[in-house]
Structures are given as structure tokens and as C-alpha cells.
Amino acid sequence: MTFNNKSHFLMLFMIFSTLILFVSALDFLNAPAESPSSGADGFLPLAKKHVVIRNVVKNREILNVHCRSSEHDFGMVHIPWNGTWDFSFHVNFWKNTKFRCHFTWHNGGSHYFNIFKVYKDDNPDGRFPVCKECIWEVGKYGDNGHICRIVRDGRHLPYCFKWKDGP
Ligand SMILES: *[C@@H]1O[C@H](CO)[C@@H](O)[C@H](O)[C@H]1NC(C)=O
């Protein structure tokens, strides 16, 4: 009896330590943000992501951006025309990290967009490639200044999206 309980404890202990080691190893693997050779752009849990927003609105106004998730709020930032602003974060363990941004510019209106969603930006089976460095251009394409994720190898057209102005 005693022996059995002990081995149960031992087994539980081993399972938990393995899990903890596994999670920390993933975090460690994903730590070097600018390593270009880190495989499949990191769709593993806790993958590090870098989002870049570029102001290319047609009327060359300043772009006001306010991005937040349930855990982070970057406050309002003002991106000069042709300038960029960026932020980094880790996808959470549950892979439900979502950053929603509000964009305004003079004569450009007021628009919302989910700049990062695992389903759209970190989904190996999704419609769009997984990005580790997710570069977005605001206002260049389309009539009302769509938002587009550019593809850095230059062999693909940007992935353009409509604003998500609804709830
Ligand atoms: C916009 O920025 C890019 C890269 O930072 C630069 O090469 C280009 O000359 C700029 N364009 C204008 C019109 O300022």
C-alpha cells in the first residue's frame, strides 16, 4: 500500500516536472526574436511575435493608433506618415492572445482591426501564412485605406483586409 502511494506521487512529480521543463524549453526556444533561421515562424505555444504598423495613408496624415489585448494596453501612439511603430509579445499558453487596434487619421475616419489573432496570424492550417514578424501597412491599398499584411519575400501580393468596425 505504502509503496503504491509513493510510486503514484513519484509518477505525478515526474509528469509535472516534465511539463514544466517542456513549457520553459519552448519559451527559451522562442526567445531570440531576431533569429531568422528559427524554423516555421513559431506557431508553438508561447511563440514570440513582433507586430509592425506602417503609416502609408494616401493623404499623408499622421496615423493615430491605439492597440490593446486583454492584458496589455499600449495607449495612443501617433505614427508620422511613412513611419512605423511596433510592439512585441508572446502568444499565451492557451493561444487566445488577441490584439485589437483603433486607427484614426484626418479625413480617414475611425476604424478597428484585430491586428493579431492566432486564427489569422499564427495558424499553420489557416488561410494566411504564420508570421513571426507581422508587418502591416495602413491606408495604401483600396478605396477606404484597407489594412494589409505584407509578405517580405516580395513574391506574394500583400494580404489585405477590410476594417472590422463592427463589435
Ligand atoms: C519612406 O520610407 C522608406 C523607408 O523608410 C524610404 O526609403 C522612402 O524614401 C520613404 N518615402 C518617402 C516618400 O519619404
Side-chain angles (χ1 to χ4, degrees):
M1 253 339 200
T2 324
F3 176 76
N4 255 337
N5 277 340
K6 260 189 191 162
S7 48
H8 273 135
F9 273 121
L10 195 64
M11 200 138 91
L12 272 179
F13 175 76
M14 279 170 71
I15 288 168
F16 276 113
S17 347
T18 313
L19 265 177
I20 287 163
L21 270 174
F22 179 68
V23 168
S24 353
L26 283 177
D27 209 8
F28 177 74
L29 277 175
N30 282 298
E34 38 286 309
S35 150
S37 57
S38 55
D41 266 358
F43 50 81
L44 297 167
L46 308 176
K48 178 150 184 171
K49 300 293 177 182
H50 183 209
V51 167
V52 180
I53 299 172
R54 179 176 203 89
N55 173 7
V56 284
V57 298
K58 281 176 181 157
N59 61 6
R60 303 194 169 198
E61 292 287 342
I62 290 168
L63 179 66
N64 309 299
V65 183
H66 187 174
C67 298
R68 63 183 120 183
S69 70
S70 55
E71 289 143 38
H72 297 276
D73 187 334
F74 293 109
M76 171 87 89
V77 296
H78 307 284
I79 310 176
W81 186 78
N82 202 29
T84 60
W85 174 72
D86 65 291
F87 62 92
S88 298
F89 60 95
H90 283 273
V91 175
N92 68 18
F93 186 74
W94 297 271
K95 300 200 65 146
N96 59 8
T97 303
K98 179 177 99 178
F99 280 91
R100 184 171 173 82
C101 304
H102 183 215
F103 299 88
T104 57
W105 68 99
H106 187 62
N107 287 331
S110 161
H111 304 288
Y112 287 91
F113 186 68
N114 294 324
I115 201 115
F116 185 88
K117 254 182 108 169
V118 170
Y119 180 77
K120 164 169 69 71
D121 303 293
D122 199 32
N123 178 2
D125 304 315
R127 284 180 62 190
F128 313 105
V130 168
C131 59
K132 184 179 172 72
E133 176 145 76
C134 310
I135 306 172
W136 293 89
E137 290 190 331
V138 177
K140 189 169 172 180
Y141 307 94
D143 293 334
N144 69 340
H146 286 52
I147 180 161
C148 305
R149 201 175 94 194
I150 65 159
V151 184
R152 280 225 290 200
D153 69 11
R155 277 181 289 154
H156 292 270
L157 288 173
Y159 296 99
C160 290
F161 297 81
K162 288 184 176 154
W163 298 113
K164 297 281 188 294
D165 288 344

